[in-house]
Coordinates of all heavy atoms in Angstrom, one line a residue:
R180 N 25.8 99.7 169.9 CA 25.5 98.8 171.1 C 26.9 98.0 171.6 O 27.6 97.7 170.8 CB 24.6 97.6 170.7 CG 24.4 96.5 171.7 CD 23.2 95.6 171.4 NE 22.0 96.3 171.8 CZ 20.8 95.8 171.2 NH1 20.7 94.7 170.5 NH2 19.7 96.3 171.7
I181 N 27.0 98.2 172.9 CA 28.2 97.5 173.5 C 27.7 96.4 174.4 O 26.9 96.6 175.3 CB 29.2 98.6 174.3 CG1 29.6 99.6 173.4 CG2 30.3 97.8 175.0 CD1 30.4 100.7 174.1
V182 N 28.3 95.2 174.2 CA 28.0 94.0 175.1 C 29.1 93.7 175.9 O 30.2 93.3 175.3 CB 27.4 92.9 174.2 CG1 27.0 91.7 175.1 CG2 26.3 93.4 173.3
Q183 N 28.9 93.7 177.3 CA 29.9 93.2 178.1 C 29.3 92.2 179.2 O 28.7 92.6 180.2 CB 30.5 94.4 179.1 CG 31.3 95.4 178.3 CD 32.6 95.0 177.8 OE1 33.1 94.0 178.5 NE2 33.2 95.5 176.8
G184 N 29.3 90.9 178.8 CA 28.7 89.9 179.6 C 27.2 90.1 179.6 O 26.5 90.1 178.8
N185 N 26.7 90.3 180.9 CA 25.4 90.6 181.3 C 24.9 92.0 181.2 O 23.8 92.4 181.8 CB 25.0 89.9 182.6 CG 24.9 88.4 182.5 OD1 24.9 87.8 181.6 ND2 25.1 87.8 183.7
T186 N 25.8 92.9 180.8 CA 25.5 94.3 180.7 C 25.5 94.8 179.2 O 26.4 94.5 178.5 CB 26.7 95.1 181.5 OG1 26.7 94.7 182.9 CG2 26.3 96.6 181.4
I187 N 24.5 95.3 178.8 CA 24.2 95.9 177.6 C 24.1 97.4 177.6 O 23.4 97.9 178.4 CB 23.0 95.3 177.0 CG1 22.8 93.8 177.1 CG2 22.9 95.7 175.4 CD1 23.9 93.0 176.6
I188 N 25.0 98.1 176.8 CA 25.1 99.6 176.7 C 24.5 99.9 175.4 O 25.2 99.7 174.4 CB 26.4 100.0 177.0 CG1 26.8 99.6 178.4 CG2 26.3 101.6 177.1 CD1 28.3 99.9 178.6
D189 N 23.4 100.6 175.3 CA 22.8 101.1 174.0 C 22.8 102.6 173.9 O 22.4 103.3 174.9 CB 21.3 100.6 173.9 CG 21.3 99.1 173.5 OD1 22.3 98.6 173.1 OD2 20.2 98.6 173.6
R190 N 23.3 103.0 172.8 CA 23.2 104.5 172.5 C 21.9 104.5 171.7 O 21.9 104.0 170.6 CB 24.4 105.1 171.8 CG 24.2 106.6 171.5 CD 25.5 107.4 171.3 NE 26.1 107.0 170.0 CZ 25.9 107.6 168.9 NH1 25.1 108.7 168.9 NH2 26.3 107.1 167.7
E191 N 20.9 105.3 172.0 CA 19.6 105.2 171.5 C 19.2 106.6 170.9 O 19.5 107.7 171.5 CB 18.5 104.7 172.4 CG 18.8 103.4 173.1 CD 17.9 103.0 174.2 OE1 17.2 103.9 174.7 OE2 17.9 101.8 174.6
R192 N 18.4 106.6 169.8 CA 17.7 107.7 169.3 C 16.2 107.3 169.3 O 15.7 106.5 168.7 CB 18.2 108.0 167.8 CG 17.4 109.3 167.3 CD 18.1 109.8 166.1 NE 18.3 108.7 165.1 CZ 19.2 108.9 164.1 NH1 20.0 110.0 164.0 NH2 19.3 108.0 163.1
V193 N 15.5 108.2 169.9 CA 14.0 108.1 170.2 C 13.2 109.1 169.5 O 13.5 110.2 169.7 CB 13.7 108.0 171.8 CG1 12.2 107.7 171.9 CG2 14.5 106.9 172.4
R194 N 12.2 108.6 168.7 CA 11.3 109.6 168.1 C 10.1 109.7 168.9 O 9.5 108.8 169.3 CB 10.9 109.0 166.7 CG 9.9 110.0 165.9 CD 9.6 109.4 164.5 NE 8.7 108.1 164.8 CZ 8.8 107.2 163.9 NH1 9.4 107.3 162.8 NH2 8.0 106.0 164.2
V195 N 9.8 111.1 169.3 CA 8.6 111.4 170.1 C 7.9 112.6 169.5 O 8.5 113.6 169.4 CB 9.1 111.6 171.6 CG1 7.8 112.0 172.3 CG2 9.7 110.5 172.2
R196 N 6.8 112.4 168.9 CA 5.9 113.4 168.4 C 6.7 114.2 167.3 O 6.8 115.5 167.1 CB 5.5 114.5 169.5 CG 4.5 113.8 170.5 CD 3.8 114.9 171.3 NE 2.8 114.6 172.1 CZ 3.0 114.1 173.5 NH1 4.2 114.4 173.9 NH2 2.0 113.7 174.3
G197 N 7.4 113.4 166.5 CA 8.1 114.0 165.4 C 9.5 114.5 165.7 O 10.3 114.9 164.8
K198 N 9.9 114.5 166.9 CA 11.2 115.0 167.3 C 12.0 113.8 167.7 O 11.5 112.9 168.2 CB 11.1 116.1 168.4 CG 10.4 117.4 168.0 CD 10.4 118.3 169.2 CE 9.5 119.6 168.8 NZ 9.5 120.5 169.9
F199 N 13.3 114.0 167.7 CA 14.3 112.9 168.0 C 15.1 113.3 169.3 O 15.7 114.5 169.4 CB 15.3 112.7 166.9 CG 14.6 112.0 165.7 CD1 13.9 112.8 164.7 CD2 14.4 110.6 165.6 CE1 13.2 112.2 163.5 CE2 13.8 110.1 164.6 CZ 13.2 110.8 163.5
L200 N 15.3 112.4 170.2 CA 16.1 112.5 171.3 C 17.1 111.4 171.3 O 16.9 110.3 171.0 CB 15.2 112.5 172.6 CG 14.0 113.4 172.7 CD1 13.1 113.1 173.9 CD2 14.4 114.8 172.7
E201 N 18.3 111.8 171.9 CA 19.3 110.8 172.0 C 19.7 110.6 173.5 O 19.9 111.6 174.2 CB 20.6 111.1 171.2 CG 20.4 111.0 169.6 CD 21.6 111.1 168.9 OE1 22.8 111.1 169.5 OE2 21.5 111.2 167.7
A202 N 20.1 109.4 173.8 CA 20.4 109.0 175.2 C 21.2 107.7 175.2 O 21.2 107.0 174.3 CB 19.2 108.9 176.2
V203 N 21.6 107.4 176.3 CA 22.4 106.0 176.5 C 21.5 105.3 177.6 O 21.2 105.8 178.7 CB 23.8 106.3 177.0 CG1 24.5 104.8 177.3 CG2 24.6 106.8 175.8
A204 N 21.3 104.1 177.4 CA 20.6 103.0 178.4 C 21.5 102.0 178.6 O 22.2 101.4 177.8 CB 19.4 102.6 177.9
V205 N 21.7 101.7 180.0 CA 22.7 100.6 180.4 C 21.7 99.5 181.1 O 21.1 99.8 182.1 CB 23.8 101.1 181.4 CG1 24.6 100.0 181.9 CG2 24.5 102.2 180.7
Y206 N 21.7 98.4 180.5 CA 20.9 97.3 181.0 C 21.8 96.3 181.8 O 22.7 95.8 181.2 CB 20.2 96.7 179.8 CG 19.2 97.6 179.0 CD1 19.8 98.2 178.0 CD2 17.8 97.7 179.4 CE1 19.0 99.1 177.2 CE2 17.1 98.6 178.6 CZ 17.6 99.2 177.5 OH 16.8 100.1 176.8
K207 N 21.3 95.9 183.0 CA 22.0 94.8 183.7 C 20.9 93.5 183.8 O 19.8 93.8 184.3 CB 22.2 95.3 185.1 CG 23.0 94.2 186.0 CD 24.4 94.0 185.5 CE 25.2 93.1 186.3 NZ 26.6 93.0 185.9
V208 N 21.4 92.5 183.2 CA 20.6 91.4 183.2 C 21.0 90.2 184.2 O 22.1 90.0 184.4 CB 20.6 90.7 181.8 CG1 19.9 89.4 181.7 CG2 20.1 91.6 180.7
E209 N 20.0 89.8 185.0 CA 20.2 88.7 186.0 C 19.1 87.7 185.8 O 18.0 88.1 185.8 CB 20.3 89.3 187.4 CG 21.4 90.3 187.7 CD 21.4 90.7 189.1 OE1 20.6 90.2 189.9 OE2 22.1 91.6 189.4
N210 N 19.5 86.4 185.8 CA 18.6 85.3 185.8 C 17.5 85.4 184.6 O 16.3 85.2 184.8 CB 17.8 85.2 187.2 CG 18.9 85.0 188.3 OD1 19.8 84.2 188.1 ND2 18.6 85.6 189.4
G211 N 18.0 86.0 183.5 CA 17.1 86.0 182.4 C 16.1 87.1 182.4 O 15.2 87.0 181.5
K212 N 16.4 88.1 183.1 CA 15.5 89.2 183.2 C 16.3 90.5 183.3 O 17.4 90.4 183.9 CB 14.4 89.2 184.3 CG 13.5 88.0 184.2 CD 12.4 88.2 183.0 CE 11.4 87.0 182.9 NZ 10.5 87.1 181.8
I213 N 15.7 91.6 182.8 CA 16.4 92.9 183.0 C 16.2 93.2 184.5 O 15.0 93.5 184.9 CB 15.9 93.9 182.1 CG1 16.2 93.5 180.7 CG2 16.6 95.3 182.3 CD1 15.5 94.3 179.5

Side-chain angles (χ1 to χ4, degrees):
R180 172 170 283 170
I181 299 173
V182 181
Q183 293 287 339
N185 290 340
T186 301
I187 314 299
I188 305 171
D189 282 348
R190 186 163 70 92
E191 304 172 343
R192 178 164 57 199
V193 181
R194 181 181 65 205
V195 181
R196 294 193 174 98
K198 297 182 179 180
F199 291 89
L200 308 172
E201 290 191 12
V203 173
V205 181
Y206 301 90
K207 183 70 173 181
V208 176
E209 294 182 9
N210 299 319
K212 297 290 183 180
I213 299 172

